[in-house]
């Protein structure tokens, strides 16, 4: 589904990840692990098309392929129908109801007026149901807890109906049950909806227990490990020095 | 208990129409409704009454309606673009930028009243205000992309405003008596100096700016979530930002050029609209804000007429409590950011 070929990530003069390559398949849940500042968020944002890979003398080395197509060749609309994104920012818009926020996920599928059709309404309701937030559909998001708001943000990404879901630290700010519920939703999105889900996290235990693969940032390189097959914990201990 | 949207809209439109009629009827001399109707419909009435109604009060009421709607919608755009409930053309220094442009025109180029009121002079003042507003808006927007902290942006906006005001004071010091008097009157704000040509420019700017805003409703809704979400939802950020700039410059710049700086209307009215409409969606908020802005300005104009207080002072007195309420209401969410 997603293939990274020999790309370098960084900003300014700082290189975070150099000449990295990896493949992420359909129906797979992949956790990105690494130290603070190792380039996890930069990788997520680059895959989401929010920033470009590191350029040398104005040229980008390597490529990112999504569904076999170079990410740079996708139009804005095609990209929005292929990749959905959940960031770390707390969304505290006053007077915005949970359902209204989830319905915003349908934006790439509605016309310029944004008027939702019957399918859009159905997809919105289904996404809310998938994250179990039916009781919060008419609650202001500013009045929700961090965990509730995070579920609504994931529902928004599910309503976007994209084959790829990218999430930057979706378990940050959450308590233990919140983390567990969030990762369970992502697991379900990958297994039952067949999506390629990639999320960054610091929660090693939850990641290893739930994910199919772990992409470990080790200095400027990455190691792709299959959970239950490769010695994931040994590698994590080595990289984190614990 | 929440009122149904249909009832709310009906009440709002009725209130707007009632205030519009009352604004025409009231003034230094009251004119009964039947006389107003005769004057407007060309029926038999005194020439003096017809002159007061069609030549003075009707243009003034239309100016209040358009200026209130325009400056309020520009405030809504600023609050969405900067994702900041305290943003507005006045607070961010955009009105000051427009004031500087207008001041350069009023104090410098066209000191003669005849030139100022001509078609060219009217476009000159509007153009200068648009240029001033656009310059400040571009600087603030560039700074906001680098900084990101909403408090710093607000402080920067206020500092720009203060700096521009200081520059305008220097201009005042250097200008002649006649121009200075005209400028001082302008800074107090006035809805009565908008002539036929100016009213047409104001109407065109208000309609175009509001139409651009309404057309951009979907993108504006997505921008409430932040740039990352807007981009990954397919919004053309550069185009949307450009349209918002264009609309804000047209709306806030034109009103400031012709009516003077109308303090706190742009900041306060979108919050009143949100309070009544209970939504963050721009499809509802844009017309609701325009409606509330028109109602507020007509009300402020009636207060200004009956008390002989400058309109700018009345709008500020009405706007300040709303700003205090917004600050108190948002304390919790600002702490969480």
């Amino acid at each position: 589904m997603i293939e990274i070929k020999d790309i370098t990530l960084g900003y300014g003069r700082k290189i975070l990840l150099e000449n990295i390559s990896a493949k992420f398949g359909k129906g797979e849940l992949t956790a990105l692990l690494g130290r603070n500042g190792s380039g996890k968020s930069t990788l997520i944002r680059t895959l989401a098309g929010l920033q470009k890979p590191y350029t040398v003398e104005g040229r980008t080395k390597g490529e990112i392929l999504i569904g076999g197509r170079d990410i740079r060749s996708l139009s804005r609309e095609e990209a929005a129908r292929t990749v959905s994104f959940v960031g770390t920012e707390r969304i505290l818009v006053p007077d915005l109801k949970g359902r209204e926020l989830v319905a915003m996920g349908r934006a790439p599928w509605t016309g310029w007026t944004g008027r939702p059709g019957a399918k859009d309404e159905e997809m919105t309701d289904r996404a809310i149901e998938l994250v179990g937030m039916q009781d919060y559909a008419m609650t202001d998001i500013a009045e929700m807890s961090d965990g509730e708001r995070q579920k609504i943000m994931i529902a928004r990404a599910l309503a976007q109906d994209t084959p790829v879901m990218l999430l930057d630290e979706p378990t940050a700010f959450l308590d233990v049950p919140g983390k567990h519920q969030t990762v369970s939703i992502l697991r379900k999105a990958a297994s039952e909806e067949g999506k390629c889900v990639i999320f960054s996290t610091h929660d090693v235990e939850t990641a290893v227990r739930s994910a199919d693969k772990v992409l470990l940032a080790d200095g400027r390189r990455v190691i792709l490990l299959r959970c239950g097959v490769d010695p994931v914990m040994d590698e994590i201990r080595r990289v984190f020095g614990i | 208990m929440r009122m149904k949207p249909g009832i709310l809209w009906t009440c709002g439109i009725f209130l707007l129409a009632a205030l519009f009629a009352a604004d025409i009827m009231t003034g230094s001399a009251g004119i009964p409704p039947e006389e107003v109707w005769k004057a407007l419909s060309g029926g038999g009435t005194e020439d003096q009454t017809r002159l007061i109604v069609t030549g003075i009060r009707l243009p003034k009421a239309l100016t209040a309606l358009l200026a209130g709607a325009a400056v309020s919608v520009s405030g809504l755009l600023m609050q969405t673009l900067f994702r900041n409930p305290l943003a507005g053309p006045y607070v961010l220094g955009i009105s000051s930028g427009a004031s500087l442009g207008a001041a350069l025109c009023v104090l410098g180029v066209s000191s003669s009243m005849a030139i100022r009121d001509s078609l060219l002079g009217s476009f000159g003042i509007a153009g200068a205000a648009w240029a001033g507003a656009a310059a400040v808006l571009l600087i603030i927007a560039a700074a906001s992309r680098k900084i990101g902290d909403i408090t710093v942006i607000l402080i920067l906006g206020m500092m720009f405003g203060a700096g521009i005001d200081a520059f305008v004071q220097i201009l005042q010091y250097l200008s002649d008596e006649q121009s200075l008097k005209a400028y001082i009157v302008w800074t107090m704000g006035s809805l009565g100096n908008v002539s036929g040509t100016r009213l047409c420019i104001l109407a065109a700017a208000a309609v175009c700016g509001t139409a651009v805003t309404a057309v951009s409703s979907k993108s504006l809704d997505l921008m409430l979530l932040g740039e990352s979400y807007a981009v990954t939802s397919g919004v053309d950020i550069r185009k949307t930002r450009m349209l918002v700039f264009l609309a804000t410059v047209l709306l806030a710049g034109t009103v400031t050029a012709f009516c003077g700086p109308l303090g706190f209307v742009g900041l306060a009215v979108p919050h009143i609209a949100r309070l009544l409409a209970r939504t963050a969606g721009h499809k509802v908020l844009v017309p609701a804000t325009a409606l509330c802005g028109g109602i507020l300005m007509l009300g402020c104009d009636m207060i200004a007429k009956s008390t002989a207080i400058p309109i700018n002072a009345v709008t500020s007195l009405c706007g300040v409590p709303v700003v205090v309420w917004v600050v108190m209401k948002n304390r919790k969410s600002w702490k969480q950011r």
Side-chain angles (χ1 to χ4, degrees):
Chain A
M1 188 75 240
I2 299 187
E3 192 174 356
I4 301 169
K5 281 184 179 175
D6 201 24
I7 60 162
T8 296
L9 303 176
Y11 49 84
R13 287 185 178 177
K14 193 175 180 184
I15 291 175
L16 297 170
L17 298 168
E18 197 170 17
N19 301 333
I20 61 165
S21 296
K23 273 186 184 178
F24 310 95
K26 196 181 167 192
E28 275 182 3
L29 178 65
T30 306
L32 275 178
L33 292 173
R35 289 169 182 267
N36 278 338
S38 60
K40 299 188 298 293
S41 297
T42 308
L43 178 57
I44 292 275
R45 292 181 65 81
T46 306
L47 293 176
L50 292 167
Q51 64 186 74
K52 289 177 181 161
Y54 199 77
T55 52
V56 180
E57 292 168 1
R59 291 181 66 185
T60 309
K61 211 180 111 195
E63 57 186 359
I64 299 169
L65 303 173
I66 298 182
R69 285 182 66 186
D70 192 320
I71 194 170
R72 288 168 294 191
S73 72
L74 298 174
S75 69
R76 250 188 311 276
E77 195 178 65
E78 282 173 333
R81 289 180 176 192
T82 310
V83 177
S84 54
F85 169 80
V86 178
T88 49
E89 197 179 352
R90 282 186 168 110
I91 305 295
L92 297 165
V93 181
D95 300 314
L96 182 65
K97 307 277 179 285
R99 196 184 186 285
E100 288 174 331
L101 202 157
V102 177
M104 283 183 182
R106 297 301 298 161
W109 304 93
T110 55
W112 67 272
T113 59
R115 194 186 172 88
K119 195 191 170 194
D120 300 308
E121 300 283 8
E122 190 192 316
M123 294 294 287
T124 302
D125 290 334
R126 190 163 169 270
I128 293 170
E129 208 180 303
L130 275 170
V131 300
M133 288 293 282
Q134 298 94 313
D135 294 342
Y136 294 83
M138 297 317 288
T139 305
D140 276 9
I141 55 152
E143 289 167 15
M144 290 180 188
S145 69
D146 286 333
E148 289 157 359
R149 205 177 299 122
Q150 191 63 281
K151 283 186 201 168
I152 286 290
M153 293 309 290
I154 294 171
R156 190 201 63 87
L158 287 167
Q160 201 168 331
D161 194 23
T162 56
V164 178
M165 271 177 79
L166 302 169
L167 305 96
D168 191 9
E169 297 196 27
T171 55
F173 314 118
L174 302 185
D175 57 11
V176 174
K179 282 178 185 177
H180 178 76
Q181 286 167 5
T182 302
V183 177
S184 296
I185 293 165
L186 300 183
R187 178 71 268 173
K188 210 156 69 171
S191 309
E192 294 175 18
E193 306 287 312
K195 293 179 189 297
C196 170
V197 183
I198 305 171
F199 70 105
S200 62
T201 183
H202 284 289
D203 194 343
V204 174
E205 206 178 305
T206 315
V208 174
R209 199 178 50 234
S210 314
D212 298 303
K213 286 179 181 173
V214 165
L215 188 74
L216 194 57
D218 179 15
R220 284 186 173 184
R221 63 189 192 110
V222 292
I223 311 163
L224 191 60
L225 302 158
R226 287 165 299 165
C227 297
V229 178
D230 300 319
V232 180
M233 285 313 292
D234 292 345
E235 283 293 331
I236 289 170
R237 281 193 201 102
R238 185 187 62 75
V239 168
F240 286 100
I242 47 173
Chain B
M1 199 181 79
R2 279 188 59 192
M3 223 186 265
K4 282 184 178 173
I7 298 172
L8 213 54
W9 279 107
T10 311
C11 288
I13 291 165
F14 179 77
L15 185 61
L16 183 82
L19 282 171
F20 189 81
D23 199 29
I24 295 174
M25 286 188 281
T26 55
S28 52
I31 302 173
E34 59 272 16
E35 289 298 314
V36 171
W37 176 247
K38 280 178 191 168
L40 291 174
S41 61
T45 186
E46 285 177 31
D47 286 347
Q48 198 185 1
T49 307
R50 192 187 314 280
L51 183 71
I52 291 171
V53 171
T54 59
I56 299 169
R57 292 193 186 169
L58 180 65
K60 201 178 176 198
L62 281 170
T63 304
L65 178 67
L66 291 167
V71 87
S72 303
V73 171
S74 78
L76 175 67
L77 283 172
M78 291 296 90
Q79 286 168 16
T80 300
L81 185 69
F82 291 98
R83 299 175 67 211
N84 186 334
L86 285 181
Y90 195 70
V91 179
L92 287 172
I94 295 157
S95 294
S96 295
S99 300
L100 175 63
L104 285 170
C105 239
V106 174
L107 295 172
V109 184
S110 56
S111 57
S112 140
M113 190 75 90
I115 295 172
R116 262 203 309 269
D117 290 344
S118 69
L119 180 66
L120 195 66
S122 295
F123 268 111
I125 292 175
W130 291 337
V136 173
L137 192 50
L138 282 172
I139 295 168
I140 294 286
S144 77
R145 294 204 75 186
K146 286 267 178 202
I147 299 160
D149 186 326
I150 56 169
T151 316
V152 179
I153 301 299
L154 281 179
I155 293 168
L156 273 181
M158 282 187 254
M159 289 304 103
F160 273 127
I164 290 167
D165 290 344
F167 188 72
V168 171
Q169 279 177 12
I170 296 168
L171 280 178
Q172 287 178 46
Y173 181 73
L174 297 173
S175 61
D176 62 67
E177 197 181 328
Q178 196 188 353
S179 298
L180 184 62
K181 193 181 164 193
Y183 182 74
I184 295 293
V185 171
W186 176 81
T187 57
M188 290 175 184
S190 173
L191 304 172
N193 295 332
V194 184
S195 64
T197 313
R198 290 184 177 190
L199 190 56
C200 288
I201 298 172
L202 178 63
V207 169
C208 288
T210 309
V212 166
T213 309
V215 166
S216 311
S217 286
K218 181 182 165 183
S219 301
L220 290 170
D221 285 352
L222 291 163
M223 284 182 78
L224 285 173
L225 307 182
E227 210 168 290
S228 301
Y229 287 110
V231 169
T232 51
S233 298
V235 173
D236 186 340
I237 286 284
R238 195 173 287 192
K239 185 179 146 197
T240 306
R241 205 180 280 136
M242 208 57 224
L243 286 174
V244 169
F245 280 179
L246 184 73
T248 307
V249 166
L250 270 177
L251 295 166
T254 313
V255 173
T256 308
F258 295 152
C259 309
L262 300 173
F264 295 104
V265 176
L267 198 164
V269 173
H271 291 290
I272 298 171
R274 280 191 201 99
L275 182 72
L276 293 169
R278 290 269 171 211
T279 182
H282 287 79
K283 272 186 215 78
V284 175
L285 267 189
V286 173
T289 302
L291 184 66
C292 290
I295 290 170
L296 183 84
M297 276 308 285
L298 284 166
C300 286
D301 185 39
M302 287 177 68
I303 295 169
K305 273 196 289 191
S306 61
T307 56
I309 296 172
I311 189 80
N312 188 11
V314 180
T315 58
S316 296
L317 286 171
C318 291
V320 167
V322 179
V323 176
V324 172
W325 169 70
V326 170
V327 171
M328 299 306 284
K329 189 183 160 206
N330 286 286
R331 271 184 313 166
K332 193 183 156 198
S333 64
W334 285 340
K335 273 183 195 165
Q336 283 183 2
R337 280 173 201 259

